[in-house]
Amino acid sequence: MGAAKIFSIAGVTVVSGLIGVGMIAASNKTPEERATRALENMAKAAEELKGSRVHPNVVFDGYEVEGKAFTYNYTLMHIINGHYNGADKARIEKLMHEKVCSDRGMKRLLKADGVVRYSYKGKDGRDLFTIAFDDALCGLTS
């Protein structure tokens, strides 16, 4: 399996590219089979990082898989009571769009009607925001 890529955006660390080499071999499979394989590989890679501090202020809590939707869950340890800078979310969203939509493995999942989400909560457990990517958002639909 390919290594996970971890990058920091405006103080928020994002795990990207968790789809393994198996996706390359799966190119002759149906879109549904490719999506299933991608989700399995993403879950396996995410499981290895679960509970780790991926940035001084960010903990990767884990992931959820529901159908063809894969959600990465993070806790922003420096945010309490939902107070965060909305401009940071916009910057994070823009940079993540570039990374997710150009990642070869993630594009394969998105083309198979998959969805990739990044969900953030504060240290107190309050939901802050979720950023979601699908084929249309990444310009992959015809």
mmCIF file of all heavy atoms in Angstrom, residues 2 11 13-14 33 46 71 90 101 106 114 116 125 129-130:
data_model
loop_
_atom_site.group_PDB
_atom_site.id
_atom_site.type_symbol
_atom_site.label_atom_id
_atom_site.label_comp_id
_atom_site.label_asym_id
_atom_site.label_seq_id
_atom_site.Cartn_x
_atom_site.Cartn_y
_atom_site.Cartn_z
ATOM 1 N N GLY A 2 0.443 2.278 -0.678
ATOM 2 C CA GLY A 2 1.186 3.522 -0.718
ATOM 3 C C GLY A 2 1.179 4.203 0.631
ATOM 4 O O GLY A 2 0.299 3.988 1.452
ATOM 5 N N GLY A 11 -2.450 25.470 9.864
ATOM 6 C CA GLY A 11 -2.449 24.899 11.200
ATOM 7 C C GLY A 11 -3.283 23.648 11.346
ATOM 8 O O GLY A 11 -3.375 23.085 12.421
ATOM 9 N N THR A 13 -3.742 19.794 10.012
ATOM 10 C CA THR A 13 -3.074 18.746 9.263
ATOM 11 C C THR A 13 -4.102 17.845 8.616
ATOM 12 O O THR A 13 -5.101 17.493 9.216
ATOM 13 C CB THR A 13 -2.154 17.939 10.191
ATOM 14 O OG1 THR A 13 -1.232 18.849 10.779
ATOM 15 C CG2 THR A 13 -1.400 16.879 9.442
ATOM 16 N N VAL A 14 -3.820 17.478 7.390
ATOM 17 C CA VAL A 14 -4.755 16.693 6.598
ATOM 18 C C VAL A 14 -4.050 15.427 6.138
ATOM 19 O O VAL A 14 -2.908 15.475 5.701
ATOM 20 C CB VAL A 14 -5.216 17.506 5.371
ATOM 21 C CG1 VAL A 14 -6.114 16.683 4.487
ATOM 22 C CG2 VAL A 14 -5.889 18.788 5.816
ATOM 23 N N GLU A 33 -16.429 -1.880 -8.004
ATOM 24 C CA GLU A 33 -15.331 -2.672 -7.457
ATOM 25 C C GLU A 33 -14.139 -1.780 -7.103
ATOM 26 O O GLU A 33 -13.498 -1.981 -6.073
ATOM 27 C CB GLU A 33 -14.899 -3.750 -8.462
ATOM 28 C CG GLU A 33 -15.919 -4.852 -8.634
ATOM 29 C CD GLU A 33 -15.602 -5.784 -9.789
ATOM 30 O OE1 GLU A 33 -15.054 -5.321 -10.822
ATOM 31 O OE2 GLU A 33 -15.901 -6.981 -9.665
ATOM 32 N N ALA A 46 -5.815 4.525 7.179
ATOM 33 C CA ALA A 46 -6.298 5.423 8.225
ATOM 34 C C ALA A 46 -6.223 4.756 9.596
ATOM 35 O O ALA A 46 -5.938 5.409 10.604
ATOM 36 C CB ALA A 46 -7.721 5.879 7.926
ATOM 37 N N THR A 71 -15.126 9.310 5.595
ATOM 38 C CA THR A 71 -14.965 10.531 6.383
ATOM 39 C C THR A 71 -13.770 10.402 7.302
ATOM 40 O O THR A 71 -13.669 9.449 8.081
ATOM 41 C CB THR A 71 -16.217 10.815 7.232
ATOM 42 O OG1 THR A 71 -17.355 10.879 6.363
ATOM 43 C CG2 THR A 71 -16.087 12.126 7.992
ATOM 44 N N ALA A 90 -12.009 28.591 5.032
ATOM 45 C CA ALA A 90 -11.988 28.879 3.591
ATOM 46 C C ALA A 90 -10.619 28.553 2.991
ATOM 47 O O ALA A 90 -10.537 27.968 1.898
ATOM 48 C CB ALA A 90 -12.358 30.332 3.340
ATOM 49 N N CYS A 101 -8.520 16.757 -5.211
ATOM 50 C CA CYS A 101 -8.968 16.640 -6.598
ATOM 51 C C CYS A 101 -7.835 16.307 -7.561
ATOM 52 O O CYS A 101 -8.092 15.928 -8.710
ATOM 53 C CB CYS A 101 -9.691 17.911 -7.029
ATOM 54 S SG CYS A 101 -11.215 18.187 -6.096
ATOM 55 N N MET A 106 -7.747 9.171 -5.047
ATOM 56 C CA MET A 106 -9.016 9.755 -4.605
ATOM 57 C C MET A 106 -9.910 10.054 -5.798
ATOM 58 O O MET A 106 -11.129 9.904 -5.711
ATOM 59 C CB MET A 106 -8.783 10.988 -3.752
ATOM 60 C CG MET A 106 -8.263 10.638 -2.391
ATOM 61 S SD MET A 106 -8.424 12.022 -1.275
ATOM 62 C CE MET A 106 -7.742 11.291 0.205
ATOM 63 N N GLY A 114 -18.093 8.135 -5.313
ATOM 64 C CA GLY A 114 -17.700 8.181 -3.910
ATOM 65 C C GLY A 114 -17.625 9.617 -3.410
ATOM 66 O O GLY A 114 -17.667 10.571 -4.187
ATOM 67 N N VAL A 116 -15.475 11.975 -0.342
ATOM 68 C CA VAL A 116 -14.440 12.052 0.683
ATOM 69 C C VAL A 116 -14.732 13.279 1.531
ATOM 70 O O VAL A 116 -14.894 14.376 1.001
ATOM 71 C CB VAL A 116 -13.026 12.159 0.066
ATOM 72 C CG1 VAL A 116 -11.967 12.288 1.152
ATOM 73 C CG2 VAL A 116 -12.736 10.961 -0.830
ATOM 74 N N GLY A 125 -15.420 18.620 21.889
ATOM 75 C CA GLY A 125 -16.281 17.665 21.198
ATOM 76 C C GLY A 125 -17.331 18.289 20.295
ATOM 77 O O GLY A 125 -18.047 17.574 19.598
ATOM 78 N N PHE A 129 -16.814 21.997 11.540
ATOM 79 C CA PHE A 129 -17.160 22.033 10.125
ATOM 80 C C PHE A 129 -16.734 20.736 9.451
ATOM 81 O O PHE A 129 -15.900 19.997 9.964
ATOM 82 C CB PHE A 129 -16.539 23.236 9.400
ATOM 83 C CG PHE A 129 -15.037 23.325 9.496
ATOM 84 C CD1 PHE A 129 -14.226 22.693 8.567
ATOM 85 C CD2 PHE A 129 -14.436 24.071 10.502
ATOM 86 C CE1 PHE A 129 -12.845 22.797 8.645
ATOM 87 C CE2 PHE A 129 -13.059 24.187 10.581
ATOM 88 C CZ PHE A 129 -12.258 23.545 9.652
ATOM 89 N N THR A 130 -17.343 20.489 8.302
ATOM 90 C CA THR A 130 -16.999 19.343 7.465
ATOM 91 C C THR A 130 -16.813 19.853 6.048
ATOM 92 O O THR A 130 -17.585 20.677 5.571
ATOM 93 C CB THR A 130 -18.120 18.278 7.496
ATOM 94 O OG1 THR A 130 -18.265 17.817 8.835
ATOM 95 C CG2 THR A 130 -17.798 17.115 6.578
#
